[in-house]
Amino acid sequence: MAPELRDRMRALRRPVTAPKLHWADLQEPDRAKVVQVVAELRAEYLVVVGTPVDLRRQERARRKCLERMLEHLQSWNVGLYLLEQRTELLNKKDMNTVNAARQSRRITGSIRLEHVAPSTEPLAWVADVIAAVRARAKSGRKDYGELLQDKLVEDELDLL
């Protein structure tokens, strides 16, 4: 499934020479095509959202959401979690979160986290699409959300 998805996502980039597909760069007709491709996949999509986010503590919020995401993925028997790379320091913080979750036995050693460059890994683009569709739905625009509603699992985490 992954090679086919990668090929399909690459074909949807606009312009096709762009290094990655990014929701904000797409026009509405192309957005509809992208969501349709994501909806057709034999997959479920997990969204963990932490609120409220104190802008001075965004890394804490990310860490808490990442911990919860790992717990869910482990319960789904996911072996590899691809996460869009950030800076070397911030990637290291993500890995520290994984290691701390293992040490506290919140997750076992069976799940791996791998940072990937969005310019080389089209699977990373799916997260951008899912996040954008969810944000649209939360703001009242449920057009694309209806295509994914049966595939979307949401976990809202209270960060207070």
Side-chain angles (χ1 to χ4, degrees):
M1 174 172 73
E4 177 190 347
L5 172 59
R6 285 181 178 103
D7 291 343
R8 290 181 75 186
M9 294 299 285
R10 280 187 191 106
L12 294 167
R13 285 180 295 191
R14 294 295 178 262
V16 293
T17 56
K20 68 177 190 172
L21 181 148
H22 195 273
W23 183 266
D25 298 334
L26 299 173
Q27 300 299 315
E28 286 304 318
D30 293 323
R31 287 178 175 180
K33 290 175 191 172
V34 169
V35 174
Q36 189 61 47
V37 166
V38 171
E40 289 171 358
L41 295 173
R42 208 179 68 236
E44 284 186 296
Y45 303 104
L46 174 62
V47 177
V48 176
V49 179
T51 58
V53 177
D54 180 339
L55 296 180
R56 296 166 298 176
R57 301 188 74 196
Q58 288 182 336
E59 280 304 307
R60 177 188 176 274
R62 180 183 174 90
R63 186 179 72 247
K64 294 293 184 186
C65 289
L66 179 55
E67 289 169 355
R68 182 68 62 89
M69 178 71 78
L70 291 166
E71 291 171 13
H72 281 290
L73 294 176
Q74 179 173 278
S75 74
W76 288 3
N77 296 315
V78 171
L80 177 62
Y81 177 34
L82 299 178
L83 192 59
E84 188 171 325
Q85 72 181 19
R86 305 186 297 157
T87 67
E88 187 177 337
L89 175 65
L90 295 177
N91 289 348
K92 193 173 202 172
K93 286 183 178 188
D94 290 341
M95 295 309 292
N96 290 341
T97 298
V98 173
N99 293 332
R102 281 194 182 106
Q103 289 175 346
S104 67
R105 302 200 187 281
R106 294 179 75 170
I107 63 167
T108 65
S110 62
I111 190 167
R112 291 184 308 118
L113 181 140
E114 185 177 309
H115 288 96
V116 296
S119 59
T120 60
E121 179 51 82
L123 295 179
W125 308 342
V126 175
D128 181 59
V129 172
I130 299 297
V133 168
R134 185 195 179 275
R136 280 174 76 110
K138 289 294 181 182
S139 69
R141 297 185 66 186
K142 301 189 186 289
D143 45 359
Y144 300 130
E146 292 175 358
L147 288 171
L148 296 174
Q149 68 186 7
D150 295 337
K151 296 178 158 282
L152 198 59
V153 176
E154 294 186 52
D155 183 354
E156 295 200 17
L157 181 61
D158 184 355
L159 296 175
L160 290 179

PDB file of all heavy atoms in Angstrom, residues 32-56:
ATOM      1  N   ALA A  32      -9.768  18.783  -3.206  1.00  0.00           N
ATOM      2  CA  ALA A  32     -10.782  17.717  -3.275  1.00  0.00           C
ATOM      3  C   ALA A  32     -10.169  16.415  -3.769  1.00  0.00           C
ATOM      4  O   ALA A  32     -10.471  15.339  -3.235  1.00  0.00           O
ATOM      5  CB  ALA A  32     -11.934  18.143  -4.188  1.00  0.00           C
ATOM      6  N   LYS A  33      -9.285  16.489  -4.753  1.00  0.00           N
ATOM      7  CA  LYS A  33      -8.624  15.279  -5.267  1.00  0.00           C
ATOM      8  C   LYS A  33      -7.740  14.639  -4.210  1.00  0.00           C
ATOM      9  O   LYS A  33      -7.728  13.416  -4.055  1.00  0.00           O
ATOM     10  CB  LYS A  33      -7.784  15.623  -6.500  1.00  0.00           C
ATOM     11  CG  LYS A  33      -8.584  15.980  -7.723  1.00  0.00           C
ATOM     12  CD  LYS A  33      -7.655  16.409  -8.850  1.00  0.00           C
ATOM     13  CE  LYS A  33      -8.428  17.033  -9.988  1.00  0.00           C
ATOM     14  NZ  LYS A  33      -7.545  17.627 -10.995  1.00  0.00           N
ATOM     15  N   VAL A  34      -7.010  15.460  -3.486  1.00  0.00           N
ATOM     16  CA  VAL A  34      -6.112  14.949  -2.452  1.00  0.00           C
ATOM     17  C   VAL A  34      -6.914  14.255  -1.355  1.00  0.00           C
ATOM     18  O   VAL A  34      -6.575  13.149  -0.927  1.00  0.00           O
ATOM     19  CB  VAL A  34      -5.244  16.086  -1.872  1.00  0.00           C
ATOM     20  CG1 VAL A  34      -4.517  15.632  -0.623  1.00  0.00           C
ATOM     21  CG2 VAL A  34      -4.257  16.587  -2.910  1.00  0.00           C
ATOM     22  N   VAL A  35      -7.975  14.887  -0.890  1.00  0.00           N
ATOM     23  CA  VAL A  35      -8.797  14.287   0.162  1.00  0.00           C
ATOM     24  C   VAL A  35      -9.420  12.989  -0.338  1.00  0.00           C
ATOM     25  O   VAL A  35      -9.497  12.003   0.402  1.00  0.00           O
ATOM     26  CB  VAL A  35      -9.876  15.272   0.658  1.00  0.00           C
ATOM     27  CG1 VAL A  35     -10.829  14.592   1.639  1.00  0.00           C
ATOM     28  CG2 VAL A  35      -9.222  16.481   1.316  1.00  0.00           C
ATOM     29  N   GLN A  36      -9.834  12.951  -1.575  1.00  0.00           N
ATOM     30  CA  GLN A  36     -10.415  11.732  -2.142  1.00  0.00           C
ATOM     31  C   GLN A  36      -9.402  10.587  -2.115  1.00  0.00           C
ATOM     32  O   GLN A  36      -9.732   9.456  -1.745  1.00  0.00           O
ATOM     33  CB  GLN A  36     -10.904  11.970  -3.572  1.00  0.00           C
ATOM     34  CG  GLN A  36     -11.712  10.825  -4.132  1.00  0.00           C
ATOM     35  CD  GLN A  36     -12.976  10.552  -3.330  1.00  0.00           C
ATOM     36  OE1 GLN A  36     -13.727  11.458  -3.000  1.00  0.00           O
ATOM     37  NE2 GLN A  36     -13.213   9.295  -2.997  1.00  0.00           N
ATOM     38  N   VAL A  37      -8.160  10.864  -2.491  1.00  0.00           N
ATOM     39  CA  VAL A  37      -7.113   9.836  -2.457  1.00  0.00           C
ATOM     40  C   VAL A  37      -6.907   9.342  -1.032  1.00  0.00           C
ATOM     41  O   VAL A  37      -6.857   8.134  -0.776  1.00  0.00           O
ATOM     42  CB  VAL A  37      -5.787  10.367  -3.051  1.00  0.00           C
ATOM     43  CG1 VAL A  37      -4.616   9.454  -2.721  1.00  0.00           C
ATOM     44  CG2 VAL A  37      -5.914  10.532  -4.557  1.00  0.00           C
ATOM     45  N   VAL A  38      -6.818  10.250  -0.076  1.00  0.00           N
ATOM     46  CA  VAL A  38      -6.612   9.879   1.319  1.00  0.00           C
ATOM     47  C   VAL A  38      -7.807   9.076   1.836  1.00  0.00           C
ATOM     48  O   VAL A  38      -7.653   8.090   2.560  1.00  0.00           O
ATOM     49  CB  VAL A  38      -6.343  11.137   2.176  1.00  0.00           C
ATOM     50  CG1 VAL A  38      -6.341  10.808   3.660  1.00  0.00           C
ATOM     51  CG2 VAL A  38      -5.020  11.772   1.765  1.00  0.00           C
ATOM     52  N   ALA A  39      -9.015   9.458   1.415  1.00  0.00           N
ATOM     53  CA  ALA A  39     -10.228   8.751   1.854  1.00  0.00           C
ATOM     54  C   ALA A  39     -10.326   7.352   1.269  1.00  0.00           C
ATOM     55  O   ALA A  39     -10.905   6.458   1.890  1.00  0.00           O
ATOM     56  CB  ALA A  39     -11.464   9.572   1.478  1.00  0.00           C
ATOM     57  N   GLU A  40      -9.777   7.146   0.087  1.00  0.00           N
ATOM     58  CA  GLU A  40      -9.872   5.840  -0.574  1.00  0.00           C
ATOM     59  C   GLU A  40      -8.917   4.795   0.004  1.00  0.00           C
ATOM     60  O   GLU A  40      -9.086   3.606  -0.244  1.00  0.00           O
ATOM     61  CB  GLU A  40      -9.585   5.993  -2.077  1.00  0.00           C
ATOM     62  CG  GLU A  40     -10.687   6.700  -2.821  1.00  0.00           C
ATOM     63  CD  GLU A  40     -10.306   7.037  -4.257  1.00  0.00           C
ATOM     64  OE1 GLU A  40      -9.147   6.756  -4.665  1.00  0.00           O
ATOM     65  OE2 GLU A  40     -11.160   7.596  -4.956  1.00  0.00           O
ATOM     66  N   LEU A  41      -7.952   5.246   0.760  1.00  0.00           N
ATOM     67  CA  LEU A  41      -6.979   4.303   1.305  1.00  0.00           C
ATOM     68  C   LEU A  41      -7.609   3.415   2.366  1.00  0.00           C
ATOM     69  O   LEU A  41      -8.513   3.832   3.094  1.00  0.00           O
ATOM     70  CB  LEU A  41      -5.810   5.060   1.918  1.00  0.00           C
ATOM     71  CG  LEU A  41      -4.981   5.856   0.940  1.00  0.00           C
ATOM     72  CD1 LEU A  41      -3.968   6.700   1.693  1.00  0.00           C
ATOM     73  CD2 LEU A  41      -4.278   4.928  -0.032  1.00  0.00           C
ATOM     74  N   ARG A  42      -7.101   2.225   2.461  1.00  0.00           N
ATOM     75  CA  ARG A  42      -7.556   1.297   3.491  1.00  0.00           C
ATOM     76  C   ARG A  42      -6.766   1.615   4.761  1.00  0.00           C
ATOM     77  O   ARG A  42      -5.793   0.943   5.107  1.00  0.00           O
ATOM     78  CB  ARG A  42      -7.301  -0.140   3.031  1.00  0.00           C
ATOM     79  CG  ARG A  42      -8.256  -1.133   3.619  1.00  0.00           C
ATOM     80  CD  ARG A  42      -8.002  -2.533   3.122  1.00  0.00           C
ATOM     81  NE  ARG A  42      -6.724  -3.030   3.627  1.00  0.00           N
ATOM     82  CZ  ARG A  42      -5.734  -3.488   2.866  1.00  0.00           C
ATOM     83  NH1 ARG A  42      -5.843  -3.523   1.574  1.00  0.00           N
ATOM     84  NH2 ARG A  42      -4.615  -3.914   3.407  1.00  0.00           N
ATOM     85  N   ALA A  43      -7.175   2.694   5.430  1.00  0.00           N
ATOM     86  CA  ALA A  43      -6.428   3.183   6.587  1.00  0.00           C
ATOM     87  C   ALA A  43      -7.357   3.938   7.521  1.00  0.00           C
ATOM     88  O   ALA A  43      -8.425   4.399   7.116  1.00  0.00           O
ATOM     89  CB  ALA A  43      -5.297   4.087   6.132  1.00  0.00           C
ATOM     90  N   GLU A  44      -6.917   4.039   8.764  1.00  0.00           N
ATOM     91  CA  GLU A  44      -7.560   4.914   9.730  1.00  0.00           C
ATOM     92  C   GLU A  44      -6.548   5.988  10.086  1.00  0.00           C
ATOM     93  O   GLU A  44      -5.343   5.754  10.050  1.00  0.00           O
ATOM     94  CB  GLU A  44      -7.956   4.151  10.993  1.00  0.00           C
ATOM     95  CG  GLU A  44      -9.177   3.297  10.836  1.00  0.00           C
ATOM     96  CD  GLU A  44      -9.580   2.684  12.169  1.00  0.00           C
ATOM     97  OE1 GLU A  44      -8.814   1.888  12.707  1.00  0.00           O
ATOM     98  OE2 GLU A  44     -10.672   3.034  12.646  1.00  0.00           O
ATOM     99  N   TYR A  45      -7.057   7.151  10.445  1.00  0.00           N
ATOM    100  CA  TYR A  45      -6.190   8.275  10.751  1.00  0.00           C
ATOM    101  C   TYR A  45      -6.459   8.735  12.179  1.00  0.00           C
ATOM    102  O   TYR A  45      -7.597   8.944  12.569  1.00  0.00           O
ATOM    103  CB  TYR A  45      -6.431   9.420   9.768  1.00  0.00           C
ATOM    104  CG  TYR A  45      -6.229   8.972   8.344  1.00  0.00           C
ATOM    105  CD1 TYR A  45      -7.309   8.724   7.509  1.00  0.00           C
ATOM    106  CD2 TYR A  45      -4.953   8.734   7.853  1.00  0.00           C
ATOM    107  CE1 TYR A  45      -7.117   8.286   6.208  1.00  0.00           C
ATOM    108  CE2 TYR A  45      -4.755   8.292   6.561  1.00  0.00           C
ATOM    109  CZ  TYR A  45      -5.846   8.065   5.743  1.00  0.00           C
ATOM    110  OH  TYR A  45      -5.657   7.620   4.460  1.00  0.00           O
ATOM    111  N   LEU A  46      -5.390   8.895  12.921  1.00  0.00           N
ATOM    112  CA  LEU A  46      -5.474   9.291  14.317  1.00  0.00           C
ATOM    113  C   LEU A  46      -5.004  10.730  14.459  1.00  0.00           C
ATOM    114  O   LEU A  46      -3.931  11.092  13.971  1.00  0.00           O
ATOM    115  CB  LEU A  46      -4.598   8.366  15.163  1.00  0.00           C
ATOM    116  CG  LEU A  46      -4.441   8.702  16.632  1.00  0.00           C
ATOM    117  CD1 LEU A  46      -5.789   8.657  17.355  1.00  0.00           C
ATOM    118  CD2 LEU A  46      -3.459   7.744  17.279  1.00  0.00           C
ATOM    119  N   VAL A  47      -5.817  11.533  15.135  1.00  0.00           N
ATOM    120  CA  VAL A  47      -5.475  12.920  15.414  1.00  0.00           C
ATOM    121  C   VAL A  47      -5.529  13.104  16.922  1.00  0.00           C
ATOM    122  O   VAL A  47      -6.547  12.829  17.550  1.00  0.00           O
ATOM    123  CB  VAL A  47      -6.472  13.897  14.744  1.00  0.00           C
ATOM    124  CG1 VAL A  47      -6.142  15.338  15.114  1.00  0.00           C
ATOM    125  CG2 VAL A  47      -6.473  13.708  13.246  1.00  0.00           C
ATOM    126  N   VAL A  48      -4.419  13.538  17.483  1.00  0.00           N
ATOM    127  CA  VAL A  48      -4.372  13.878  18.904  1.00  0.00           C
ATOM    128  C   VAL A  48      -4.193  15.383  18.981  1.00  0.00           C
ATOM    129  O   VAL A  48      -3.236  15.930  18.418  1.00  0.00           O
ATOM    130  CB  VAL A  48      -3.220  13.162  19.637  1.00  0.00           C
ATOM    131  CG1 VAL A  48      -3.151  13.618  21.086  1.00  0.00           C
ATOM    132  CG2 VAL A  48      -3.396  11.643  19.561  1.00  0.00           C
ATOM    133  N   VAL A  49      -5.128  16.039  19.651  1.00  0.00           N
ATOM    134  CA  VAL A  49      -5.102  17.499  19.756  1.00  0.00           C
ATOM    135  C   VAL A  49      -5.086  17.867  21.225  1.00  0.00           C
ATOM    136  O   VAL A  49      -5.952  17.451  21.989  1.00  0.00           O
ATOM    137  CB  VAL A  49      -6.349  18.124  19.082  1.00  0.00           C
ATOM    138  CG1 VAL A  49      -6.314  19.638  19.219  1.00  0.00           C
ATOM    139  CG2 VAL A  49      -6.432  17.706  17.632  1.00  0.00           C
ATOM    140  N   GLY A  50      -4.091  18.632  21.593  1.00  0.00           N
ATOM    141  CA  GLY A  50      -4.000  19.126  22.967  1.00  0.00           C
ATOM    142  C   GLY A  50      -4.464  20.559  23.035  1.00  0.00           C
ATOM    143  O   GLY A  50      -4.022  21.394  22.245  1.00  0.00           O
ATOM    144  N   THR A  51      -5.358  20.841  23.970  1.00  0.00           N
ATOM    145  CA  THR A  51      -5.843  22.206  24.159  1.00  0.00           C
ATOM    146  C   THR A  51      -6.039  22.470  25.647  1.00  0.00           C
ATOM    147  O   THR A  51      -6.294  21.542  26.402  1.00  0.00           O
ATOM    148  CB  THR A  51      -7.196  22.440  23.444  1.00  0.00           C
ATOM    149  OG1 THR A  51      -8.143  21.513  23.929  1.00  0.00           O
ATOM    150  CG2 THR A  51      -7.062  22.345  21.948  1.00  0.00           C
ATOM    151  N   PRO A  52      -5.981  23.689  26.058  1.00  0.00           N
ATOM    152  CA  PRO A  52      -5.477  24.842  25.322  1.00  0.00           C
ATOM    153  C   PRO A  52      -3.947  24.819  25.292  1.00  0.00           C
ATOM    154  O   PRO A  52      -3.317  24.230  26.173  1.00  0.00           O
ATOM    155  CB  PRO A  52      -5.988  26.029  26.137  1.00  0.00           C
ATOM    156  CG  PRO A  52      -6.058  25.514  27.538  1.00  0.00           C
ATOM    157  CD  PRO A  52      -6.411  24.052  27.419  1.00  0.00           C
ATOM    158  N   VAL A  53      -3.372  25.451  24.290  1.00  0.00           N
ATOM    159  CA  VAL A  53      -1.920  25.497  24.154  1.00  0.00           C
ATOM    160  C   VAL A  53      -1.433  26.873  24.573  1.00  0.00           C
ATOM    161  O   VAL A  53      -1.808  27.878  23.978  1.00  0.00           O
ATOM    162  CB  VAL A  53      -1.473  25.200  22.710  1.00  0.00           C
ATOM    163  CG1 VAL A  53       0.045  25.339  22.581  1.00  0.00           C
ATOM    164  CG2 VAL A  53      -1.917  23.819  22.277  1.00  0.00           C
ATOM    165  N   ASP A  54      -0.624  26.893  25.602  1.00  0.00           N
ATOM    166  CA  ASP A  54       0.051  28.117  26.018  1.00  0.00           C
ATOM    167  C   ASP A  54       1.201  28.313  25.038  1.00  0.00           C
ATOM    168  O   ASP A  54       2.072  27.445  24.916  1.00  0.00           O
ATOM    169  CB  ASP A  54       0.576  27.935  27.445  1.00  0.00           C
ATOM    170  CG  ASP A  54       1.298  29.155  27.986  1.00  0.00           C
ATOM    171  OD1 ASP A  54       1.753  30.000  27.178  1.00  0.00           O
ATOM    172  OD2 ASP A  54       1.431  29.256  29.219  1.00  0.00           O
ATOM    173  N   LEU A  55       1.191  29.403  24.311  1.00  0.00           N
ATOM    174  CA  LEU A  55       2.201  29.629  23.275  1.00  0.00           C
ATOM    175  C   LEU A  55       3.624  29.590  23.822  1.00  0.00           C
ATOM    176  O   LEU A  55       4.564  29.294  23.095  1.00  0.00           O
ATOM    177  CB  LEU A  55       1.947  30.947  22.552  1.00  0.00           C
ATOM    178  CG  LEU A  55       0.632  31.013  21.768  1.00  0.00           C
ATOM    179  CD1 LEU A  55       0.473  32.366  21.099  1.00  0.00           C
ATOM    180  CD2 LEU A  55       0.554  29.893  20.752  1.00  0.00           C
ATOM    181  N   ARG A  56       3.786  29.852  25.105  1.00  0.00           N
ATOM    182  CA  ARG A  56       5.118  29.794  25.706  1.00  0.00           C
ATOM    183  C   ARG A  56       5.528  28.363  26.036  1.00  0.00           C
ATOM    184  O   ARG A  56       6.671  28.111  26.386  1.00  0.00           O
ATOM    185  CB  ARG A  56       5.146  30.637  26.986  1.00  0.00           C
ATOM    186  CG  ARG A  56       4.920  32.127  26.731  1.00  0.00           C
ATOM    187  CD  ARG A  56       4.629  32.846  28.005  1.00  0.00           C
ATOM    188  NE  ARG A  56       3.382  32.273  28.544  1.00  0.00           N
ATOM    189  CZ  ARG A  56       2.839  32.596  29.703  1.00  0.00           C
ATOM    190  NH1 ARG A  56       3.425  33.453  30.478  1.00  0.00           N
ATOM    191  NH2 ARG A  56       1.718  32.051  30.099  1.00  0.00           N
TER     192      ARG A  56
END
